[in-house]
Amino acid sequence: MVAETAQTLDRGLRLLHLVADAPNGLTVTEAATRLGVGRAVVYRLAATLGEHGMVRRDAGGRLRLGPGVLHLARRAQPLVADAALPSLRRLAEQIGATAHLTVADGGEALALAVVEPSWTQFHVAYRTGSRHPLDRGAAGQAILAGRNGNHGCVSTTGELQPGAYGVAAPVPDVEGLDASVGVVALAPLDVAAVGPQVVATAAAVAQALS
């Protein structure tokens, strides 16, 4: 009975991951094929996950993530932000620029944690919770680069705010976290000097979360 329960749990979690990785949802047949089980098993798993709000079926019968996943994600975000803050604080003080941890949220980049430097007379005010298109700005572009296996830094100028300069790098190798670490300043940033510090901080954040 214990082994059977563990197998059911494993299949349920695998189904949840499959649905999460399918932006357009999955049919029951597709899910059954990928899990290597019958359609009846998928129906039972989806029903159980549906009772907990983790999976839903859309009008076309495709399996999609449910609102319960969003609830868990919101609970997890403060924990991720807290783990990243010490590294972000060091980066902000070292460079004298506003440092941030940004995560992908659908097609947008969401600022999850922001630290402003304490010793500069002027710096960029960047609010936690700020959003912008994922393909604009250094933070979002770094996340996209990380998806393609590029863990170097990305720099942009004035894409989100005129006169603002950004450098960011993806947070590497943290399962389930699509994120970047970056800095934004009112003056041009020396990418050759700042880039390695941003990449190192992204690695430190990844270590703190592992």
Side-chain angles (χ1 to χ4, degrees):
M1 177 62 72
V2 174
E4 182 179 341
T5 301
Q7 183 185 53
T8 301
L9 177 60
D10 177 70
R11 285 174 173 172
L13 292 173
R14 287 168 57 202
L15 175 60
L16 191 58
H17 279 283
L18 286 175
V19 175
D21 290 337
N24 298 316
L26 283 177
T27 67
V28 171
T29 299
E30 289 170 340
T33 299
R34 296 185 191 185
L35 287 175
V37 299
R39 286 164 50 91
V41 173
V42 174
Y43 277 116
R44 288 198 298 270
L45 293 174
T48 300
L49 290 170
E51 289 174 2
H52 294 277
M54 298 297 174
V55 168
R56 63 181 176 85
R57 296 184 69 186
D58 64 18
R62 300 180 74 85
L63 301 175
R64 296 181 181 273
L65 289 181
V69 173
L70 298 177
H71 174 73
L72 290 178
R74 283 194 290 268
R75 288 295 186 92
Q77 284 180 356
L79 301 177
V80 173
D82 287 346
L85 282 174
S87 296
L88 293 179
R89 191 166 292 112
R90 284 192 297 271
L91 182 64
E93 297 298 330
Q94 288 170 356
I95 296 177
T98 301
H100 52 85
L101 172 69
T102 299
V103 298
D105 186 13
E108 294 183 314
L110 167 67
L112 196 61
V114 177
V115 177
E116 298 177 1
S118 64
W119 55 271
T120 55
Q121 195 168 12
F122 301 102
H123 54 260
V124 174
Y126 189 34
R127 293 190 303 274
T128 300
S130 296
R131 293 175 176 270
H132 59 81
L134 200 57
D135 60 354
R136 296 194 62 195
Q141 290 180 28
I143 291 173
L144 295 176
R147 290 176 177 176
N148 294 320
N150 181 359
H151 293 151
C153 68
V154 174
S155 63
T156 59
T157 302
E159 289 199 2
L160 299 176
Q161 179 180 328
Y165 300 83
V167 177
V171 176
D173 305 324
V174 179
E175 184 69 28
L177 183 67
D178 217 3
S180 68
V181 164
V183 289
V184 57
L186 293 170
L189 295 164
D190 181 354
V191 179
V194 171
Q197 296 179 70
V198 172
V199 171
T201 301
V205 170
Q207 186 173 13
L209 293 170
S210 63

